[in-house]
């Protein structure tokens, strides 16, 4: 009977997948590849008992689907599903919180549910990660590992999914690994988080193995002290007996000849002995020009994984995950107005730390009232942070940067030309001027060939709508904002 039940379950899942595949094909034709990819491309169909649920990547994506596509999805589903099953819609965080058996990171032994009432009297349970086993947790903290950095709290997306997959594989002690593994990318985009998560999971997966985590700065200072104390043998044994050695910010040793020499021999000894080495750096090994060529060459010989700056969808996912964590700590509902989260995601593009810091600031000021906070109130609270970090940008600089990006002349943007190839970049430039300068709408209009303020307002609203629907526009805005903010 159990075998028959398993077959029946498998058939149900196969039928549901087939229905969803047919539905997706129709949605792609009707919405277009760009819109579908931006909002529905990362949604997945999940089964929970007798229920089927479409799980959107983020709460913002869920809201967009509900407003713009949910009715049509329901029609297509009803047409193609012979079993007539209902389909629910939830964000990934909602689904995981409400599903007791949802997969969790290995360092999480159990979860403590926190009930919070919703407006309609329902209850949502937020999973609060507890610590790893006491021995592993104590050993990890002694090495400087941070409890909050786990795979469960790491938000994966296109910018970091390859590095995330590699880290999970190394942490599981899988065979066929590359050695060493180097994660590199800009400051503040999750390298340290990934390395900490890898360490926690590796210790949990194989408690008998020795995992050593150390920053390159601590490696240097400890080595210098060992030389002074004539205890280098003990220092070498400490590292070279590791089954897995993790070194954060390895670029710190560049230019330090004796430290580089020791790191080179440590790396060589571990790799030759079949032990594993994972490092992070702010640049790829090829760009670490101050590093000794022999060491740089060995770093390049392994697997080099780049972590790109987070795109808008990933930044929104990070904000939702962070808000859930803060809500669990403060025991309030993990919700905020979409326009507030979108403002944070669009404004803090250079570092995940800055992005999370802005959300921390809002929650510290208003606590559980963040669900009622308006965009104007959020901007008012963050204005000192924005003014402190903002490089003064002029409308003229914006026009030059936008013209260069779209391969136009600056004169085109202030001309009377209405061709789409000019009109859309002009609207982008007006949106940027409204976002990152203090100029009024009439003033911006005057600087774009004497246009009326209503033209500028229309441009701003049009780009606001397009950045949520057109991935190409969203990418252009990301690139331009980074260029203008230096």
């Amino acid at each position: 009977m159990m075998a028959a039940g398993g077959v029946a379950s498998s058939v149900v899942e196969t039928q549901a997948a087939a229905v969803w595949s047919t539905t997706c094909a129709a949605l792609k034709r009707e919405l277009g590849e760009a819109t579908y990819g931006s909002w529905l491309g990362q949604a997945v169909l999940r089964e929970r008992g007798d229920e089927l649920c479409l799980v959107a990547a983020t709460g913002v994506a869920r809201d967009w689907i509900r407003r713009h596509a949910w009715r049509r999805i329901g029609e297509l589903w009803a047409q193609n599903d012979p079993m007539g099953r209902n389909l629910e819609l939830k964000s990934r965080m909602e689904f995981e919180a409400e599903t007791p058996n949802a997969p969790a990171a290995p360092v999480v032994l159990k979860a403590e549910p926190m009930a919070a009432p919703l407006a309609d009297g329902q209850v949502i349970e937020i999973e609060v990660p507890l610590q790893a086993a006491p021995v592993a947790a104590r050993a990890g903290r002694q090495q400087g590992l941070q409890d909050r950095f786990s795979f469960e709290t790491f938000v994966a997306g296109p910018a970091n999914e390859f590095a995330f997959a590699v880290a999970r594989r190394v942490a599981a002690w899988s065979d066929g690994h590359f050695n060493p593994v180097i994660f590199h990318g800009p400051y503040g985009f999750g390298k340290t988080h990934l390395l900490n998560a890898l360490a926690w999971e590796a210790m949990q997966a194989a408690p008998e193995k020795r995992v050593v985590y150390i920053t390159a700065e601590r490696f240097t200072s400890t080595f210098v002290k060992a030389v002074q104390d004539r205890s280098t043998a003990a220092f070498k044994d400490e590292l070279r007996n590791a089954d897995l050695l993790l070194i954060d910010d390895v670029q710190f040793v560049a230019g330090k000849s004796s430290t580089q020499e020791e790191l080179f021999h440590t790396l060589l000894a571990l790799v030759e002995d079949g032990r594993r080495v994972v490092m992070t750096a702010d640049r790829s090994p090829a760009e670490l020009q101050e590093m000794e060529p022999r060491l740089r060459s060995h770093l390049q010989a392994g697997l080099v994984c780049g972590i790109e700056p987070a795109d808008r969808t990933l930044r929104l996912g990070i904000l939702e995950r962070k808000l859930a964590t803060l809500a669990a700590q403060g025991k309030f509902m993990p919700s905020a107005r979409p326009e507030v989260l979108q403002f944070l995601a669009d404004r803090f593009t250079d570092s995940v730390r800055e992005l999370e810091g802005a959300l921390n600031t809002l929650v510290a000021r208003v606590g559980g009232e963040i669900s009622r906070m308006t965009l104007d109130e959020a901007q008012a609270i963050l204005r000192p942070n924005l003014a402190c970090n903002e490089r003064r940008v002029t409308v003229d600089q914006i026009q030059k940067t936008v013209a260069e990006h779209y391969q136009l002349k600056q004169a085109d943007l202030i001309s009377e030309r209405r061709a789409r190839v000019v009109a859309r970049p002009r609207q982008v430039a007006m949106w940027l001027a409204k976002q990152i300068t203090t100029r009024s709408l009439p003033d911006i209009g005057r600087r774009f060939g004497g246009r009326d303020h209503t033209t500028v307002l229309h441009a701003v609203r049009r780009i606001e709508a397009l950045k949520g629907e057109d991935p190409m526009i969203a990418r252009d805005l990301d690139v331009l904002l980074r260029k203008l903010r230096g």
Side-chain angles (χ1 to χ4, degrees):
M1 292 295 291
M2 289 181 65
V7 171
S9 176
S10 176
V11 170
V12 170
E13 291 175 5
T14 303
Q15 288 178 338
V19 174
W20 178 237
S21 179
T22 304
T23 302
C24 288
L27 290 170
K28 280 183 184 178
R29 290 194 301 271
E30 295 173 11
L31 297 173
E33 289 279 353
T35 301
Y36 174 88
S38 181
W39 298 106
L40 281 155
Q42 297 183 51
V44 294
L45 191 67
R46 299 285 292 274
E47 186 175 18
R48 182 171 54 191
D50 296 329
E51 299 176 349
L52 291 171
C53 185
L54 180 61
V55 181
T58 67
V60 175
R62 174 207 58 205
D63 294 341
W64 186 93
I65 293 169
R66 195 181 299 282
R67 285 196 305 271
H68 300 286
W70 191 236
R71 179 180 296 179
R72 182 55 179 154
I73 289 172
E75 292 171 352
L76 292 167
W77 185 267
Q79 290 170 13
N80 294 292
D81 183 20
M83 299 178 66
R85 290 161 297 187
N86 288 329
L87 183 65
E88 294 185 54
L89 174 65
K90 295 186 182 297
S91 70
R92 183 174 62 185
M93 193 170 298
E94 284 178 324
F95 183 85
E96 291 176 355
E98 295 177 358
T99 307
N101 296 323
V107 295
V108 180
L109 301 182
K110 59 180 182 176
E112 178 182 299
M114 183 194 79
L118 295 176
D120 59 2
Q122 296 176 331
V123 168
I124 182 172
E125 287 189 345
I126 305 162
E127 295 293 324
V128 184
L130 298 185
Q131 308 305 331
V135 174
R138 187 161 52 249
R141 293 190 195 106
Q142 287 173 353
Q143 297 185 69
L145 291 173
Q146 299 184 55
D147 297 330
R148 62 194 179 96
F149 289 154
S150 68
F151 282 133
E152 185 190 42
T153 58
F154 188 88
V155 182
N160 59 28
E161 60 187 353
F162 178 60
F164 180 69
V166 170
R168 294 300 297 255
R169 186 168 178 80
V170 174
W173 303 93
S174 300
D175 293 328
H177 65 284
F178 295 88
N179 209 11
V181 173
I182 312 296
F183 299 118
H184 72 88
Y187 169 83
F189 278 101
K191 300 186 300 296
T192 296
H193 189 149
L194 204 58
L195 209 62
N196 273 250
L198 197 164
W200 285 121
E201 185 151 326
M203 287 190 291
Q204 187 74 17
E208 75 282 2
K209 293 185 181 289
R210 192 159 182 273
V211 178
V212 175
Y213 167 87
I214 189 170
T215 65
E217 182 178 8
R218 190 159 143 243
F219 179 98
T220 301
S221 61
T222 307
F223 173 65
V224 170
K225 189 174 188 306
V227 171
Q228 293 171 344
D229 296 344
R230 297 182 180 179
S231 58
T232 54
F235 173 80
K236 291 176 182 179
D237 288 343
E238 176 72 16
L239 298 181
R240 297 183 193 184
N241 286 328
D243 294 293
L244 171 62
L245 175 63
L246 307 162
I247 301 181
D248 203 7
D249 288 326
V250 73
Q251 76 276 356
F252 185 83
V253 305
K256 302 173 176 66
S257 57
S258 59
T259 304
Q260 289 185 85
E261 181 77 12
E262 179 58 32
L263 179 58
F264 170 76
H265 289 295
T266 297
L267 173 62
L268 205 61
L270 289 168
V271 171
E272 287 181 350
D273 201 26
R275 298 167 191 266
R276 308 179 184 201
V277 180
V278 183
M279 301 182 186
T280 69
D282 63 355
R283 288 155 285 162
S284 69
E287 296 176 284
L288 296 172
Q289 295 302 319
E290 293 183 9
M291 187 168 281
E292 202 266 327
R294 187 174 52 166
L295 175 57
R296 189 168 68 240
S297 175
H298 273 75
L299 295 181
Q300 290 176 276
L303 177 59
V304 179
C305 303
I307 298 177
E308 300 297 324
D311 62 16
R312 188 171 188 262
T313 301
L314 182 54
R315 292 197 298 271
L316 286 168
I318 290 168
L319 286 170
E320 290 191 345
R321 178 73 70 176
K322 181 66 175 178
L323 182 57
T325 301
L326 294 172
Q329 293 169 350
K331 300 199 181 303
F332 59 84
M333 272 302 301
S335 64
R337 295 188 179 187
E339 61 269 24
V340 172
L341 296 182
Q342 289 167 5
F343 163 71
L344 295 177
D346 289 333
R347 181 58 188 78
F348 296 91
T349 61
D350 296 331
S351 165
V352 171
R353 289 194 184 101
E354 291 179 8
L355 181 67
E356 292 184 337
L359 183 60
N360 285 339
T361 300
L362 296 181
V363 172
R365 286 286 295 271
V366 301
E369 296 299 307
I370 191 168
S371 61
R372 298 190 181 92
M373 177 181 286
T374 66
L375 177 58
D376 287 342
E377 290 168 341
Q379 290 174 328
I381 290 173
L382 294 173
R383 189 166 291 125
N385 305 56
L386 300 177
C388 179
N389 295 328
E390 190 67 86
R391 185 181 73 153
R392 187 167 181 82
V393 180
T394 65
V395 175
D396 183 66
Q397 288 173 316
I398 291 171
Q399 290 173 346
K400 288 177 180 176
T401 303
V402 171
E404 180 184 353
H405 180 79
Y406 287 104
Q407 299 180 336
L408 299 170
K409 296 177 181 177
Q410 185 178 358
D412 291 330
L413 299 181
I414 60 177
S415 71
E416 294 298 321
R417 292 180 61 190
R418 296 185 179 182
R420 186 183 180 85
V421 70
V422 174
R424 185 69 77 233
R426 183 187 294 130
Q427 290 178 327
V428 167
M430 289 179 175
W431 182 88
L432 289 165
K434 179 68 174 68
Q435 293 296 312
I436 59 178
T437 76
T438 57
R439 299 292 179 183
S440 65
L441 294 178
D443 197 7
I444 292 172
R446 283 192 293 272
R447 291 165 191 271
F448 279 85
R451 286 175 165 79
D452 190 80
H453 77 280
T454 56
T455 302
V456 181
L457 182 59
H458 171 75
V460 170
R461 288 174 175 171
R462 184 63 183 141
I463 297 302
E464 279 290 334
L466 283 175
K467 73 179 183 179
E469 301 172 0
D470 188 336
M472 186 69 74
I473 288 288
R475 283 194 294 271
D476 285 346
L477 295 176
D478 258 3
V479 169
L480 289 165
L481 283 168
R482 285 199 179 91
K483 283 183 180 177
L484 289 165
R485 289 170 176 158

